[in-house]
Amino acid sequence: MSYSSDSEPDPELLELLRQHLQGKTATPTAAETGVLESAEFVYNHAIDVALDMRGCKKAAETIWTQMQQREYSPATWSTHELHPKAADGEETVKFIFAMDILNFSFWSEKDDAEQRFQVEYKGERWTGYWSLVAGLQRALEEGIPITDPAFWINESQFTPDVLRNVFRSATDEEMPLLQERFDCLREAGQVLHEKYDGSVIDLIDAANGSAAALVNLLASDFPCFADIHPHPGRRQPIRILKRAQILVADLWACFEGQSYGSFNDIDKITMFADYRVPQMLWQLNCLLYGPTLEAAVREKSMIEHGSEWEMQLRACSIWCVELIRREIIRAHPEAKGKVNAVLIDFFLYDAVKELEAEGGEGIPHHRTRSIWY
């Protein structure tokens, strides 16, 4: 850029200013997922789900206290025996990518726990989310490259029957939505091949260290991650993005914020709106259900995907965890930088699974069958 005297306007500087005022400059803007704004909108217009602010405040104190007692941190993720370890580097990244493509809808319609879908691995039977992780680990040990995106697009080697064998059940009930899971893997493998040279690492690198940018890339490039839904009262669709966000969170936790899990804006990730965490938020007296909705949940009635009830349950849970996060930091300033929505979600999920094992659930989880959660 040239320099001129104070009395003469610099034409290059004027052009730069003109472009800036007209919005033509290439100033980078921080990525936003839009999830929190979507959740707040649904919460503000919700009729059948509400928040108990006293309950949220009490829950915030309970959660923070227990997280400290348990020394809850990103490192807790790897202490689960089935989770892959960061030391395996790129193979672990591929495992997490495959895992979160398939991380949806494990609940069983059978009341008898012994009859529910289970994966037998290392002398134990695993249910729910852990059946997914156990199935993937078992397949790798059996020489099936189930976490390799190149395998997913090999039409002669990867078939629905192969996936059925990967997740073969120790009971008569098979894993729900097996065909949909197969379709998700095939589709993701094709997108990776076409846009990212078949590499999950290249996909992560494209986000330039931004958690929000990676979530947005997953949502825009991979239809199976596009957990985005129309709302009659809003021009823009509602962005929930459960599996896109949990993929980023799992990378961050597994690698403890380093290497492939290094993100400069991890606090932009919200909780992951599923069917288990809302159940725990109700248990903590944070979420309140209207009488008709509560009756449907208790009766284990199917709640249609995309319905007002389902949207309110998911979005209000996101907003609830955000308010809990804010209350923890307000009451305990030392928690800033130590607690975020990711860790609160992980904690609540572990807590509700412990409650289930003890038979202490006060209400069932809601029933919606979809690929989104």
Side-chain angles (χ1 to χ4, degrees):
M1 184 178 288
S2 60
Y3 290 87
S4 57
S5 68
D6 291 341
S7 61
E8 298 176 4
D10 186 323
E12 292 181 50
L13 187 61
L14 286 173
E15 179 59 24
L16 187 66
L17 180 61
R18 187 178 296 111
Q19 289 180 12
H20 178 73
L21 292 174
Q22 293 175 351
K24 294 181 180 178
T25 51
T27 305
T29 56
E32 300 292 342
T33 67
V35 173
L36 202 57
E37 292 77 10
S38 291
E40 184 178 15
F41 176 87
V42 174
Y43 166 72
N44 285 336
H45 295 81
I47 296 172
D48 301 289
V49 181
L51 302 188
D52 184 322
M53 294 305 171
R54 287 193 182 91
C56 290
K57 187 172 183 178
K58 186 176 179 180
E61 189 63 33
T62 300
I63 290 166
W64 174 240
T65 299
Q66 291 191 19
M67 287 178 76
Q68 286 184 298
Q69 289 173 350
R70 300 185 187 197
E71 298 181 341
Y72 220 81
S73 73
T76 306
W77 191 93
S78 294
T79 63
H80 293 287
E81 61 180 298
L82 293 181
H83 273 158
K85 308 308 174 193
D88 295 328
E90 188 170 347
E91 291 305 310
T92 292
V93 171
K94 288 160 64 176
F95 188 103
I96 292 172
F97 187 62
M99 180 178 78
D100 285 326
I101 289 171
L102 302 174
N103 190 353
F104 58 83
S105 200
F106 304 108
W107 58 270
S108 171
E109 296 182 28
K110 295 186 179 296
D111 291 326
D112 185 348
E114 294 300 316
Q115 295 180 6
R116 295 174 187 168
F117 166 72
Q118 301 171 30
V119 166
E120 194 164 333
Y121 176 62
K122 290 191 172 179
E124 289 189 52
R125 289 191 173 190
W126 306 89
T127 61
Y129 163 75
W130 294 113
S131 67
L132 166 68
V133 189
L136 293 174
Q137 294 284 20
R138 182 178 65 183
L140 291 175
E141 289 186 8
E142 293 173 350
I144 303 171
I146 190 59
T147 60
D148 185 353
F151 178 65
W152 307 337
I153 59 175
N154 188 320
E155 295 186 6
S156 63
Q157 292 185 12
F158 183 55
T159 65
D161 283 341
V162 169
L163 191 65
R164 185 169 287 105
N165 178 55
V166 166
F167 294 115
R168 64 187 181 274
S169 179
T171 70
D172 291 336
E173 184 181 43
E174 70 174 21
M175 177 179 269
L177 303 180
L178 263 175
Q179 182 62 49
E180 288 81 356
R181 294 178 200 277
F182 175 83
D183 293 341
C184 286
L185 287 174
R186 176 62 52 80
E187 173 197 276
Q190 290 169 341
V191 173
L192 269 184
H193 176 71
E194 293 167 6
K195 296 192 175 185
Y196 298 99
D197 198 27
S199 170
V200 185
I201 302 300
D202 285 1
L203 167 62
I204 295 171
D205 288 345
N208 295 315
S210 167
L214 183 51
V215 167
N216 291 341
L217 279 175
L218 289 164
S220 62
D221 289 355
F222 297 82
C224 70
F225 278 107
D227 187 3
I228 302 169
H229 312 284
H231 189 284
R234 192 171 189 248
R235 185 180 304 171
Q236 299 89 356
I238 300 300
R239 296 169 68 85
I240 303 291
L241 303 176
K242 183 259 185 179
R243 289 191 294 104
Q245 291 202 102
I246 205 169
L247 170 56
V248 173
D250 283 344
L251 289 168
W252 173 74
C254 178
F255 292 94
E256 297 183 38
Q258 304 298 314
S259 180
Y260 301 118
S262 176
F263 299 105
N264 55 38
D265 57 351
I266 192 64
D267 287 351
K268 289 184 178 179
I269 302 301
T270 70
M271 68 79 75
F272 322 116
D274 64 355
Y275 50 88
R276 281 300 192 180
V277 175
Q279 180 189 17
M280 190 65 201
L281 291 171
W282 184 94
Q283 189 86 21
L284 290 168
N285 299 312
C286 298
L287 279 190
L288 303 173
Y289 299 166
T292 310
L293 171 58
E294 182 166 333
V297 172
R298 289 192 180 279
E299 291 166 7
K300 301 182 181 179
S301 301
M302 188 69 78
I303 293 176
E304 184 181 351
H305 166 62
S307 66
E308 272 292 315
W309 278 358
E310 188 217 20
M311 191 76 74
Q312 290 178 41
L313 283 164
R314 300 184 78 199
C316 290
S317 295
I318 294 172
W319 190 242
C320 181
V321 169
E322 171 62 15
L323 295 186
I324 288 172
R325 183 195 68 80
R326 292 179 186 181
E327 174 59 22
I328 290 174
I329 292 172
R330 186 202 67 78
H332 304 278
E334 72 277 11
K336 192 169 186 179
K338 297 179 182 178
V339 67
N340 55 28
V342 173
L343 289 177
I344 295 172
D345 181 285
F346 286 169
F347 176 85
L348 290 172
Y349 181 84
D350 287 346
V352 77
K353 294 302 287 183
E354 290 172 11
L355 202 65
E356 180 187 32
E358 297 165 0
E361 298 166 293
I363 196 170
H365 63 75
H366 73 274
R367 261 69 173 170
T368 299
R369 191 70 83 187
S370 81
I371 71 166
W372 305 117
Y373 64 101

